[in-house]
Amino acid sequence: MIDLHMHSNSSDGSMTPTELVLEAKEIGLSTIALTDHDTIDGIPELIEAGSKHNITTVPGVEISIDTQLPNNGHLHMLGLFVDPHSADLKKTLDFLREQRNLRAQKIIDKLNELNIVVTMGELLAEAGEGSIGRPHVARILVGKGVVTSMQEAFDLYLAKGKPAYMDKVKLGEADAIAMIKNAGGLAILAHPHLMKYETFNEAMEKILSLKPLGLDGFEVYYSGMPEGYCRNLLKLAQEQDFLISGGSDYHGSNKEDVRMGYGKGDLHISDGVYHQLRKNWKYKMQALSRGN
Ligand code: AMP
Ligand code: ZN
Ligand code: FE
Ligand code: FE
């Protein structure tokens, strides 16, 4: 059993990469990927802990994409098997994180206008070295008693359309895919159902439009993905030769209803999914080094 989508405290998860590896070991996973938002800072620790505790680790990253979608949907791109030493990757991720800091200040300004006192110092302390996200703000609001849960913080203040919402600076789909592929990774569309198209056909058209840009595959197994959607995606992958992946999107205590490996209940992703991804990744790498 594997889990190829999770966050550490290098972004908005609550656990260190080492703790993630230990949790994976505890529940009997063979393989995990760390896919923090806009950062690969947790990867060296992940790899070290993985080799120490005999868990296979995949270096990854999750990028939010700037694109027009219906119903407040969003498009996230995972890079799996990215080279954590890629200078280009690091540079672009550094830029995205700077933009996150600027946005965090704007969120704080909006909260202050609502007479909710939050400072950048508090937020930096909450995020530690990590890339700042709205869950950090939510945690502070819970800590101050402004709301009773992180979900309430989103519902009242931080979700899109709410009074302290601020958009992020995001990469376009072509730039994000190119960044991932230049860093030697596979570009995998995360949680396709969360693009929130009304019909599967519309989602499929979007996915097919990303193929010429270099999209390698998409997540088929994900916490809370409707079963019919999952079946449709499997069929699309088979017909159009896309790779399939999956994970829980574990955030530790920052997303209380999602468990590593099991998601919101019965998620159970077999090792074969990892082996197939790895085989194709190696094949693509070899093809690249042969220059074709
Ligand atoms: P950010 O990258 O700063 O925009 O934060 C995104 C993270 O916030 C996601 O990974 C979720 O964990 C969380 N999040 C976003 N929207 C909501 C929502 N409506 N309710 C609860 N959590 C949310
Ligand atoms: Zn997150
Ligand atoms: Fe995501
Ligand atoms: Fe995620």
Side-chain angles (χ1 to χ4, degrees), residues 5-201:
H5 187 157
M6 67 182 71
H7 299 268
S8 77
N9 63 355
S10 282
S11 64
D12 56 4
S14 66
M15 288 156 75
T16 65
T18 303
E19 287 166 345
L20 291 174
V21 165
L22 290 173
E23 173 82 6
K25 181 126 193 137
E26 171 88 19
I27 63 175
L29 299 185
S30 67
T31 306
I32 58 174
L34 180 61
T35 54
D36 275 315
H37 302 283
D38 302 337
T39 179
I40 49 171
D41 285 355
I43 300 297
E45 183 183 324
L46 177 87
I47 293 174
E48 197 185 317
S51 56
K52 187 164 164 200
H53 298 287
N54 204 19
I55 297 289
T56 303
T57 55
V58 179
V61 67
E62 181 172 21
I63 309 290
S64 306
I65 306 295
D66 187 11
T67 187
Q68 285 300 320
L69 292 169
N71 309 316
N72 279 344
H74 49 254
L75 197 165
H76 290 173
M77 191 65 64
L78 297 173
L80 294 181
F81 303 99
V82 289
D83 173 6
H85 304 294
S86 160
D88 278 353
L89 178 62
K90 195 175 170 308
K91 197 168 138 198
T92 308
L93 296 181
D94 283 345
F95 164 77
L96 289 174
R97 262 175 306 152
E98 261 170 52
Q99 296 301 317
R100 273 180 177 274
N101 286 3
L102 297 173
R103 169 214 197 204
Q105 184 59 58
K106 291 186 189 152
I107 292 178
I108 286 175
D109 292 345
K110 289 194 165 191
L111 287 169
N112 290 347
E113 277 167 31
L114 297 165
N115 289 324
I116 299 168
V117 183
V118 176
T119 65
M120 195 63 190
E122 287 173 313
L123 191 49
L124 287 170
E126 181 64 41
E129 300 279 291
S131 131
I132 300 179
R134 283 177 289 163
H136 297 116
V137 183
R139 228 182 213 292
I140 292 177
L141 295 181
V142 173
K144 285 178 184 274
V146 175
V147 290
T148 55
S149 68
M150 295 194 44
Q151 189 57 53
E152 193 182 331
F154 275 94
D155 293 344
L156 293 182
Y157 299 107
L158 300 170
K160 195 163 184 168
K162 301 300 169 186
Y165 176 78
M166 268 305 301
D167 224 345
K168 273 186 301 227
V169 170
K170 299 177 194 140
L171 294 184
E173 42 206 29
D175 288 343
I177 292 174
M179 175 187 79
I180 289 165
K181 306 204 67 138
N182 286 336
L186 293 175
I188 302 288
L189 174 65
H191 40 64
H193 60 305
L194 296 182
M195 296 192 292
K196 298 200 181 160
Y197 283 107
E198 301 285 346
T199 64
F200 184 76
N201 267 344

